[in-house]
Amino acid sequence: MEDMLKGEGPGPLPPLLQQYVELRDRYPEYLLLFQVGDFYECFGEDAERLARALGLALTHKSSKDFTTPMAGIPIRAFDGYAERLLKMGFRLAVADQVEPAEEAEGLVRREVTQLLTPGTLVQETLLPKEANYLAAVATGDGFGVAFLDVSTGEFKGTLLQSKSALYDELFRHRPAEVLLAPELRENEAFLEEFRKRFPVMLSEAPFDPEGEGPLALRRAQGALLRYAARTQGGSFVPRPFRFYDPGAFMRLPEATLRALEVFEPLRGQDTLFGVLDETRTAPGRRLLQAWLRHPLLDRGPLEARLDRVEAFVREGTLREGVRRLLFRLADLERLATRLELGRAGPRDLAALRRSLEILPELKALLGEEVGLPELSFLLAELRAALVDDPPLKLSEGGLIREGYDPHLDALRQAHREGVAYFLALEERERERTGIPTLKVGYNAVFGYHLEVTRPYYDRVPPEYKAVQTLKDRQRYTLPEIKERERELYRLEAQIRRREEEVFLEVREKAKKEAEALREAARVLAELDVFAALAEVAVRHGYTRPRFGERLRIRAGRHPVVERRTVFVPNDLEMAGELVLVTGPNMAGKSTFLRQTALIALLAQMGSFVPAEEAELPLFDRILTRIGASDDLAGGRSTFMVEMEEVALILKEATERSLVLLDEVGRGTSSLDGVAIATAVAEALHERGCYALFATHYFELTALPLPRLRNLHVAAKEEEGGLTFYHQVLPGPASKSYGVEVARMAGLPKEVVERAQHLLRAMAARREGPGEAVLQRLLALDPDRLTPLEALRLLHELRALVLGTPLGTMKG
């Protein structure tokens, strides 16, 4: 059936629009961008969608019986527009003209040459430097989740037992697009929760099992392979699938990655990744991210990484040299994939040539043991074949160097002779006709022609055939001109075709080395990361961490905060203890907690750390409950979210865990809060984990727990208010500074004074009569009281607390 196009008129559709509709209907879930000359056009409703999305003017395409809306984007600006459309959630099908217009008989043939979706991009211009994952989730024996980066071929997955573990793993990898198995997509509760947590494009694919392992994981693999093959056109082959176990790395739940601002900022724009990212290459940047996502648990590999960082810290000139060279490197990993997919253009091969030129220089700097594959023959080939500055598109021609291909050289020589004929023709005809102003011209309509100005019309020989008359000159042609001209066109077409053949042969040679290029990318990415970590360490005064049985940090700093303000370094020592941190609100308790976790995280990814000295145990996980990540949108109160997170922490913490709790219990009334905070503190103490607990409940500082230590963030009261030192000292804080902080925040003077008065009164009331009430209560035997005596007693107690004489009470 012919699917109609939105438009007006009785007509049949003109052939061009019919071709458009046929292609469009083959890709119903994609927006079809249809090449017409220098533009990609959309028609009908799709034109309206495109115009709305990009703010373009709508025009109309009219034939004699039919008119339809039309909107388009210039091909040369395609990348910018495509990027915007993908961000808005469009999938794009790009239909190109696959034959030159001049060779077409009738309608130019068009085919969909690429399908673009956020998770399957391989185009350098559209991709972020980071890994770009397509994820698939299926159920079976747990949740099978698999990740594929089509641009690099990285392909891996794991089996998880809980939904929270699934969310953590997805959050860690931040996929650009997710395929959900039908049983999940049709589960409305799951889908709604999923969309809220991951506002990414959700797509469909058949979940037929492929590969090895548990069924849920095989289904996820199958979906990724199907979907990638559809968007890449069959030729896509990923790296071998790698099963990984999240348990082999430090566990970093979503709450931890968020609270520590590892990849995404909470308030400012600074992140831990941003502070570390001194990498010079895209594969290096992706590797740094991978290391941050998955810190190690074993000492051996960590010490090996730290050795390599240290070597670069010590050798400044070597580090400089390596970083200077790496700057010129293309993204070899993604380039290898484009070669395999047959998508590499002339510029890609030029970038490959530039990159290969760096390898011998790096070997000279680092010595042979750097382990780079031997690619000098490919470099020689690319140098010989490609001109210095090749064009963007293959069809532009002029990209193969003279002297590389004898056949091409011969064609070019013949073409030069053909052009020379026309240059000689002018001279010859001037002499033969005696017309001094005669010249040979060229234009797109008439091709080559002879031009004579008005005064000499009488000298024009009879064999000249007039083709065009202008107001003061006339244009003519000769049979031999037409013949020579046809010969030139034929040569130009042959040159174009031969250049294309030669280019494809060269590209084929490069493709054979795709594996070696990936290996080179891997070695260079490691070099890049080690040199970058060393650069950060030197520039910002980090030291090499040691691993031991306890935690000892001397003059530790927060790697992100210190970049913005003057930072007061702090010490911390603990061994499986519960450390309570008290002090006023703005004094830096949260920063102190976070910096401890960040130092541990950096150490276990193999980086130096911001401290004068650091000895750390190897932590199995970092668990945090910090700050208001309120899920008010999800309809759960702050307090509810907080309790769920704390429950999860208590379930997971082991003796080798680092736990950070910030102000637990403040989401509810203060008595509830104290009770909950106390119970949580006792539970953590029992687990024997490394726990830092920031609180403003002073009641906690007196808990009778053997492994409880008190620290406080110092603040000093002076004339005119508080001074924060951000210095962490032993012992609990001396009193609540809330009222002082209120004064500093600019609360009106009379409000602050009233608060101080109330605070004194309440403190006195609590300490004086409170004591007497407690004594009375403790001396009681409730079983012996009559109801009347009990009532009487309550009145007495109330009077005691309020400090009023008993006689004034009604009762």
Side-chain angles (χ1 to χ4, degrees):
M1 71 148 239
E2 183 187 275
D3 188 9
M4 268 320 287
L5 193 61
K6 178 174 178 175
E8 284 155 18
L13 288 181
L16 178 84
L17 290 180
Q18 215 155 350
Q19 188 187 35
Y20 171 79
V21 169
E22 273 164 33
L23 281 175
R24 185 198 66 181
D25 292 349
R26 253 184 267 164
Y27 299 93
E29 66 273 33
Y30 291 79
L31 179 72
L32 182 72
L33 297 171
F34 185 82
Q35 184 187 357
V36 182
D38 295 333
F39 276 79
Y40 283 127
E41 302 286 4
C42 289
F43 302 101
E45 272 177 46
D46 284 348
E48 291 171 355
R49 283 170 63 204
L50 181 73
R52 247 199 326 274
L54 296 175
L56 305 172
L58 260 187
T59 54
H60 285 84
K61 169 95 179 144
S62 301
S63 65
K64 69 179 193 317
D65 296 321
F66 190 73
T67 298
T68 182
M70 170 170 103
I73 55 181
I75 289 182
R76 59 180 168 68
F78 171 72
D79 290 343
Y81 285 119
E83 197 174 340
R84 281 169 57 193
L85 289 168
L86 288 164
K87 280 211 176 75
M88 291 173 180
F90 286 91
R91 300 175 179 83
L92 307 176
V94 182
D96 286 310
Q97 296 175 189
V98 289
E99 57 179 348
E102 59 269 16
E103 290 173 23
E105 303 191 356
L107 197 57
V108 178
R109 238 187 31 251
R110 293 181 177 85
E111 281 168 20
V112 170
T113 53
Q114 35 182 350
L115 295 176
L116 304 178
T117 74
T120 59
L121 299 171
V122 295
Q123 293 72 3
E124 198 53 31
T125 42
L126 298 177
L127 276 165
K129 290 199 194 75
E130 289 81 1
N132 194 56
Y133 289 114
L134 172 71
V137 185
T139 62
D141 17 29
F143 290 98
V145 58
F147 298 97
L148 173 63
D149 183 339
V150 178
S151 72
T152 62
E154 181 190 1
F155 188 28
K156 63 179 184 179
T158 187
L159 190 68
L160 303 161
Q161 291 315 319
S162 71
K163 201 165 61 172
S164 70
L166 168 71
Y167 288 155
D168 287 345
E169 220 37 41
L170 284 168
F171 188 76
R172 224 189 257 232
H173 288 86
R174 305 203 307 218
E177 185 176 355
V178 178
L179 312 173
L180 289 180
E183 70 274 12
L184 291 170
R185 218 177 34 246
E186 287 151 19
N187 173 340
E188 282 187 14
F190 177 86
L191 195 62
E192 191 185 341
E193 185 180 10
F194 192 91
R195 279 186 191 283
K196 206 168 278 152
R197 297 184 77 136
F198 301 103
V200 299
M201 182 180 285
L202 295 179
S203 301
E204 300 187 18
F207 273 73
D208 306 326
E210 291 257 344
E212 303 285 297
L215 181 62
L217 193 51
R218 298 211 320 273
R219 289 178 65 215
Q221 287 178 58
L224 291 177
L225 292 171
R226 280 301 133 57
Y227 194 75
R230 170 152 163 81
T231 58
Q232 301 313 316
S235 54
F236 177 71
V237 182
R239 323 274 71 237
F241 181 78
R242 183 168 66 75
F243 178 83
Y244 74 98
D245 170 15
F249 305 101
M250 179 198 272
R251 188 155 140 51
L252 292 170
E254 182 181 343
T256 299
L257 288 173
R258 278 188 197 282
L260 298 179
E261 300 182 276
V262 177
F263 295 116
E264 289 174 3
L266 286 175
R267 278 173 293 277
Q269 53 278 3
D270 305 330
T271 62
L272 179 64
F273 178 68
V275 160
L276 289 186
D277 184 23
E278 284 291 338
T279 56
R280 284 300 177 80
T281 69
R285 186 186 168 105
R286 291 194 290 273
L287 184 64
L288 179 66
Q289 269 191 314
W291 285 9
L292 255 183
R293 266 202 296 273
H294 289 118
L296 305 178
L297 298 176
D298 296 334
R299 192 166 167 172
L302 276 174
E303 297 287 6
R305 279 185 189 178
L306 288 165
D307 286 344
R308 305 228 7 221
V309 177
E310 184 161 1
F312 275 127
V313 165
R314 290 218 174 106
E315 304 250 350
T317 42
L318 182 66
R319 185 177 73 248
E320 282 301 299
V322 168
R323 284 168 57 76
R324 206 169 40 247
L325 287 175
L326 288 176
F327 216 36
R328 307 199 326 244
L329 201 65
D331 190 337
L332 290 180
E333 205 177 1
R334 283 179 173 164
L335 219 158
T337 299
R338 281 202 297 284
L339 282 168
E340 287 180 336
L341 289 173
R343 288 265 179 88
R347 294 274 169 90
D348 282 323
L349 290 195
L352 176 56
R353 175 178 62 194
R354 202 174 56 241
S355 303
L356 293 179
E357 283 167 348
I358 299 168
L359 300 191
E361 297 183 58
L362 275 169
K363 282 182 183 168
L365 261 183
L366 294 158
E368 280 303 316
E369 72 281 2
V370 65
L372 282 166
E374 182 46 60
L375 286 159
S376 49
F377 57 94
L378 179 58
L379 173 59
E381 193 72 38
L382 291 171
R383 274 180 170 155
L386 290 184
V387 299
D388 285 343
D389 195 11
L392 188 58
K393 285 205 163 59
L394 186 49
S395 53
E396 290 173 49
L399 64 136
I400 303 298
R401 218 185 261 286
E402 291 282 329
Y404 178 73
D405 179 61
H407 180 175
L408 182 61
D409 290 346
L411 288 171
R412 282 176 171 163
Q413 185 52 33
H415 186 266
R416 276 195 291 272
E417 286 162 14
V419 173
Y421 158 83
F422 284 105
L423 295 174
L425 178 71
E426 188 169 280
E427 228 15 57
R428 203 180 70 212
E429 288 299 299
R430 270 185 192 176
E431 264 174 44
R432 185 168 82 86
T433 60
I435 304 174
T437 60
L438 182 139
K439 62 177 207 279
V440 171
Y442 174 84
N443 82 8
V445 184
F446 300 108
Y448 285 97
H449 51 259
L450 300 157
E451 197 172 270
V452 178
T453 49
R454 185 181 294 262
Y456 301 100
Y457 285 173
D458 55 342
R459 295 194 194 175
V460 172
E463 65 272 24
Y464 276 29
K465 184 165 160 266
V467 286
Q468 189 187 22
T469 304
L470 299 169
K471 73 170 196 281
D472 58 346
R473 67 193 67 185
Q474 229 167 358
R475 290 174 175 174
Y476 303 90
T477 178
L478 281 167
E480 64 172 303
I481 290 187
K482 279 285 148 249
E483 228 152 282
R484 291 291 184 128
E485 185 178 36
R486 268 198 297 278
E487 174 61 15
L488 261 191
Y489 284 149
R490 220 188 52 183
L491 281 168
E492 277 164 19
Q494 280 181 303
I495 287 170
R496 248 213 318 275
R497 263 200 294 277
R498 182 60 193 157
E499 276 216 271
E500 201 163 314
E501 282 166 18
V502 173
F503 176 77
L504 294 178
E505 282 165 24
V506 174
R507 187 167 79 181
E508 202 48 43
K509 287 178 182 164
K511 176 180 169 176
K512 288 199 175 68
E513 299 308 318
E515 252 337 289
L517 292 175
R518 281 210 177 85
E519 179 55 23
R522 196 188 59 74
V523 173
L524 295 168
E526 285 199 350
L527 270 177
D528 190 14
V529 172
F530 290 130
L533 290 175
E535 182 68 23
V536 172
V538 171
R539 216 184 283 173
H540 301 285
Y542 289 13
T543 51
R544 177 171 179 158
R546 294 190 312 283
F547 299 107
E549 290 313 300
R550 48 177 301 122
L551 180 141
R552 228 181 74 243
I553 297 172
R554 210 176 86 234
R557 313 184 306 276
H558 188 300
V560 184
V561 177
E562 71 166 350
R563 297 285 178 94
R564 266 178 289 150
T565 62
V566 180
F567 197 87
V568 181
N570 294 307
D571 299 352
L572 174 64
E573 281 196 39
M574 60 193 296
E577 289 158 311
L578 170 62
V579 174
L580 281 182
V581 187
T582 46
N585 267 346
M586 289 152 54
K589 297 193 294 277
S590 299
T591 304
F592 178 62
L593 263 58
R594 286 189 172 97
Q595 90 189 29
T596 307
L598 287 169
I599 287 173
L601 175 60
L602 286 174
Q604 282 180 240
M605 72 165 276
S607 166
F608 279 32
V609 299
E612 271 173 34
E613 218 182 305
E615 182 190 334
L616 302 154
L618 286 164
F619 291 114
D620 61 2
R621 59 200 63 199
I622 296 177
L623 304 170
T624 60
R625 166 58 213 161
I626 291 182
S629 60
D630 309 352
D631 180 19
L632 294 177
R636 309 206 305 270
S637 70
T638 315
F639 183 59
M640 183 74 186
V641 174
E642 176 177 85
M643 289 302 103
E644 283 173 9
E645 288 186 14
V646 171
L648 208 63
I649 288 175
L650 292 176
K651 203 166 80 202
E652 290 198 4
T654 71
E655 290 181 357
R656 291 182 46 225
S657 304
L658 175 60
V659 177
L660 311 179
L661 295 178
D662 192 6
E663 304 286 12
V664 165
R666 71 175 150 193
T668 181
S669 76
S670 74
L671 278 176
D672 271 2
V674 174
I676 289 168
T678 304
V680 169
E682 289 171 353
L684 280 177
H685 182 270
E686 209 168 295
R687 297 281 183 291
C689 53
Y690 284 72
L692 283 164
F693 193 148
T695 182
H696 60 276
Y697 294 133
F698 289 93
E699 292 85 341
L700 297 189
T701 58
L703 288 178
L705 301 171
R707 282 197 324 285
L708 171 77
R709 282 206 9 252
N710 279 300
L711 295 177
H712 68 280
V713 183
K716 194 166 92 188
E717 266 182 278
E718 293 172 344
E719 285 305 310
L722 277 185
T723 310
F724 293 130
Y725 288 120
H726 300 291
Q727 182 77 54
V728 177
L729 301 170
S734 50
K735 66 165 176 238
S736 174
Y737 293 91
V739 176
E740 271 310 321
V741 173
R743 182 211 306 273
M744 286 168 63
L747 231 59
K749 193 160 159 250
E750 60 279 15
V751 178
V752 174
E753 279 166 8
R754 171 78 180 135
Q756 272 172 331
H757 173 72
L758 284 171
L759 186 66
R760 278 197 295 274
M762 283 152 124
R765 206 181 289 163
R766 259 191 183 170
E767 284 155 22
E771 202 54 42
V773 170
L774 272 177
Q775 296 306 327
R776 287 284 303 269
L777 276 173
L778 290 172
L780 255 185
D781 182 353
D783 295 339
R784 294 235 176 111
L785 284 180
T786 67
L788 198 62
E789 284 169 340
L791 202 59
R792 182 109 208 125
L793 180 71
L794 279 177
H795 280 304
E796 274 177 39
L797 294 178
R798 186 159 177 261
L800 262 176
V801 173
L802 291 172
T804 44
L806 275 180
T808 60
M809 301 288 286
K810 292 193 179 70

